Amino acid sequence: MQWDNREMRAGPQDLILMPAGRELGVTNKPGALGNYIADTVTFSQELLSSFRARHGVEIHARLSHASSAELCVPLDRHTTDAWENLLACLTTDAPQALRTHYGEGVLLALSLAGYAGPLLIDRRDPLGARVQQLLMLDPAASWTVARVAEHLHLSASTLRRRLANESSSFSHILEQVRMGLALQWLQSTIRPIGEIAEACGYASASRFSVRFRQRYGLSPRALRAAQLLSI
């Protein structure tokens, strides 16, 4: 799979999310027996809107702590169960009510795992929320106002003006995304601080540490030390 400047290999245990209006490149590589098999399910806008309305609060809470907004995500146990139930429902010509129920089950499993963001972005969402989800697709990228505006089919000046109307800015959202992900990774993984800095788009660990201290009041190293003491 290729999108933006990224490339990722998807295998049998992965689920590919294909949001409406997003350009993706897909290269199929058959297995040893020359077979390529994939199940594809399309979610209607009505189902997505209904799901957002029913689970909106929980979705936004999960998205704010999501590790990323990947388009190629691993099938964990709950998502696998939900996906298999949906496929079984579709292949047995079950009633539409059951199809909707199991479809929402897949969306809920993805939401609980923090992966449903790209599917749930709506053009009616506040612009800041759409910018945030876009940046989370690749927090380490060299994002600029012009690049984000192009993705959202806006001019750079329009993007700046509309974000200002929401009392926000591109730089504020970018730092919010990068710092939020860094905080989560520091708290939930043992990844080296330098690696986290790079994954969040900072050119050096020292620059990252300065920005982190300014935002949270302590350095990444001090945060890790405090966590060890509290265990």
Side-chain angles (χ1 to χ4, degrees):
M1 287 181 55
Q2 306 87 34
W3 72 95
D4 299 335
N5 293 319
R6 304 185 65 187
E7 183 171 317
M8 183 170 290
R9 182 184 298 272
Q13 299 304 313
D14 296 312
L15 188 65
I16 299 173
L17 309 183
M18 305 182 76
R22 188 161 191 84
E23 266 189 39
L24 300 177
V26 180
T27 302
N28 298 334
K29 296 186 177 181
L33 299 178
N35 298 321
Y36 174 82
I37 301 174
D39 296 304
T40 305
V41 174
T42 300
F43 293 97
S44 69
Q45 187 58 52
E46 290 75 19
L47 188 148
L48 293 172
S49 296
S50 173
F51 178 80
R52 283 161 50 91
R54 185 175 294 110
H55 299 283
V57 174
E58 186 172 22
I59 290 169
H60 286 296
R62 292 283 176 172
L63 290 181
S64 65
H65 294 89
S67 59
S68 67
E70 296 287 357
L71 298 185
C72 180
V73 304
L75 279 167
D76 63 14
R77 179 171 62 86
H78 300 299
T79 307
T80 298
D81 289 345
W83 181 255
E84 289 179 351
N85 286 333
L86 175 60
L87 292 182
C89 181
L90 293 173
T91 55
T92 57
D93 197 27
Q96 183 60 45
L98 279 178
R99 296 186 181 194
T100 299
H101 173 76
Y102 287 120
E104 289 193 346
V106 171
L107 292 173
L108 185 57
L110 287 170
S111 296
L112 293 175
Y115 290 119
L119 294 178
L120 301 176
I121 297 175
D122 193 301
R123 292 182 182 274
R124 294 165 293 185
D125 282 342
L127 182 59
R130 286 187 281 149
V131 171
Q132 180 187 52
Q133 287 302 307
L134 178 61
L135 298 180
M136 287 180 68
L137 286 171
D138 190 0
S142 300
W143 290 107
T144 63
V145 171
R147 182 178 175 187
V148 170
E150 182 180 359
H151 276 283
L152 298 176
H153 308 291
L154 300 170
S155 68
S157 59
T158 298
L159 177 63
R160 289 192 184 94
R161 184 180 69 254
R162 289 179 57 182
L163 287 178
N165 290 339
E166 295 180 8
S167 300
S168 187
S169 69
F170 167 74
S171 59
H172 172 76
I173 297 172
L174 180 60
E175 177 147 314
Q176 185 179 48
V177 166
R178 288 175 167 174
M179 286 286 104
L181 291 174
L183 179 63
Q184 184 200 8
W185 285 331
L186 285 166
Q187 292 177 321
S188 61
T189 74
I190 58 172
R191 296 176 70 176
I193 292 173
E195 183 180 306
I196 291 176
E198 182 178 359
C200 289
Y202 292 91
S204 68
S206 59
R207 177 61 177 165
F208 165 67
S209 294
V210 169
R211 299 300 296 161
F212 192 90
R213 182 191 291 274
Q214 290 174 343
R215 186 174 185 87
Y216 296 114
L218 74 172
S219 69
R221 192 176 300 277
L223 175 68
R224 280 249 168 105
Q227 286 182 273
L228 290 175
L229 289 173
S230 65
I231 293 176

